Amino acid sequence: MQKFWMVLPLLAMAAPLQAKNAKDVFMPEDPEAAAFQSAVGFADAVIAGDKVYLSGVIVTPQPGESDLKPAFTRAFDRIGRTLERAGVSWDDVVDLTSYHTDLQGSINEMVEVKNRYIKAPFPAWTAIGISALYEADGVVEIKVVAQRTMDGE
């Protein structure tokens, strides 16, 4: 028989997962994407207190595209739709993190597209060079955190 003191740490780790309110978890509207994310175990976004945390969106060029701008536009549009579903906008983004498989080769096009969506005052931004992404043909993954405005502020 297991001792209670051995089970207690497991219960403590599981408690935060059960504490999320389902209305504060945003899954994809596309059934195929929702099925994939459910199987893997992640959401498009989660509201926790006054923050909205978005999962990373992978920038993937389509066959025949000669530059990354269309792929970045698709990614930023998807992020914008997720922010809207969570009740915030690009103006509420306080932190942006981007993971680049070729940082020098993608940063300028990202900046050009990003600047269409994000205006001053700017959020914090960290750009990180990495060796690979979950999707083999992905070149950048973009993750954001937004600050919710509470009523009366």
Side-chain angles (χ1 to χ4, degrees):
M1 186 168 106
Q2 272 192 321
K3 303 272 186 212
F4 180 72
W5 60 269
M6 295 172 73
V7 176
L8 190 56
L10 295 174
L11 292 174
M13 289 188 305
L17 296 176
Q18 297 170 353
K20 285 188 292 230
N21 187 332
K23 72 178 180 62
D24 294 334
V25 176
F26 297 86
M27 296 301 288
E29 295 175 312
D30 173 61
E32 187 176 317
F36 170 77
Q37 286 184 212
S38 291
V40 175
F42 72 98
D44 276 351
V46 175
I47 296 174
D50 63 349
K51 299 280 191 294
V52 180
Y53 298 88
L54 274 68
S55 291
V57 172
I58 297 178
V59 176
T60 306
Q62 298 285 323
E65 290 178 343
S66 60
D67 63 53
L68 294 175
K69 286 182 253 180
F72 276 117
T73 299
R74 286 189 298 276
F76 276 90
D77 284 346
R78 179 175 170 196
I79 293 167
R81 288 189 304 274
T82 302
L83 289 167
E84 186 176 310
R85 288 174 43 223
V88 293
S89 72
W90 282 108
D91 291 339
D92 301 309
V93 171
V94 295
D95 184 53
L96 171 73
T97 305
S98 55
Y99 304 90
H100 303 252
T101 59
D102 178 6
L103 183 58
Q104 298 308 312
S106 62
I107 196 73
N108 290 336
E109 288 173 305
M110 179 173 175
V111 167
E112 185 177 330
V113 174
K114 175 189 72 64
N115 288 346
R116 291 187 227 147
Y117 296 82
I118 298 176
K119 306 295 183 197
F122 301 110
W125 178 21
T126 303
I128 303 166
I130 60 168
S131 61
L133 293 167
Y134 183 84
E135 291 182 24
D137 53 350
V139 294
V140 176
E141 185 162 349
I142 303 167
K143 181 176 178 15
V144 302
V145 177
Q147 175 79 39
R148 293 189 321 152
T149 304
M150 299 301 179
D151 292 336
E153 288 186 24

